Amino acid sequence: MWAYIIRNFLQRCVLLFIVSVMAHSIVHLAPGEPSEVDPSNPRMQPEDIKKIREAFHLNDPLYLQYYYWMRDLFTGELKSFKDSQPVLPKIWERFLNSLPLFICATLIVWTLAFPTGIHAAVRRGSAYDRGSTFIAYALISIPGFFLSYIMILWVVDTFGVPVIGMRTFGMENAHPFFQTMDRIWHLVIPSIMSALTGIAILSRYVRSQMLEVISQDYVRTARAKGLDEDTVIYHHALRNALLPFVTLFGYLLPSLIGGSVIFEYIFAWPGLGRLGYEAILSRDFPIILTINFIAAALTLAGTFLSDILYAVVDPRIRLE
């Protein structure tokens, strides 16, 4: 067990290094440089561009630029091309903004998708099953940004309250209780809108997996033994149907990086995905590379966690 964990961990460290090298090479080989973001700026003189390139080692070979990037990243001295601010505190601030949105959306998805999918599988062919299937495919087909704009217009027109941003303008001096309630209100709408597609997709997976499990012989045997339906469904069938979702659980970690960039832009939410998109537009290499590195690390950590959870959930699996 421990030999497998150590070997798997070392393999992922090597893979992370390879991914970082490839990402660094692709970003720097792409057309355009930070000094070319606004060539029409009259204040940008050739000597200023030269100083920028020297300050950020853009004249050095790629392998030296990679070394400087990794050195500055792990020493905390990496700075943004755009505003010369430290990269890690900047990313951490946006991460803290994205975290509540991610947690709320994830809780909504996993709380609603499983009962919906299980109920549809148990009552296969019923009006509920057909209705939930229709709604799920409709939510998958309709773009999320379109529904978000409709929701914003409806909420503002019906209730006359703001839903854009993380807080209402002018609430800075209000009582802490009202500030907290205002923050929760601004969190509700984007969380629901970003969770709709996830509910539709995950509920279909749950329904499909439950239909496959409840037709197995051990489920029929449990019913033949006289067990009540809830015990058969939730104790015997659901436990075995959960195995494929262990993999999905592992991929929740990389969703922290840019999982809701579209909704962050629509609702003017200053999150991490929005920061990455703005960095791409401004060719801010340190921000782009650092976010990519963190996303790769979270992806590898998520898959590693999934492998470990498989052995915990299913005793038949042995990590040899």
Side-chain angles (χ1 to χ4, degrees), residues 126-142:
S126 64
Y128 177 87
D129 183 27
R130 293 193 295 269
S132 62
T133 300
F134 174 79
I135 295 175
Y137 285 124
L139 291 176
I140 295 172
S141 304
I142 301 175

Side-chain angles (χ1 to χ4, degrees), residues 58 76 109:
L58 295 177
V109 170

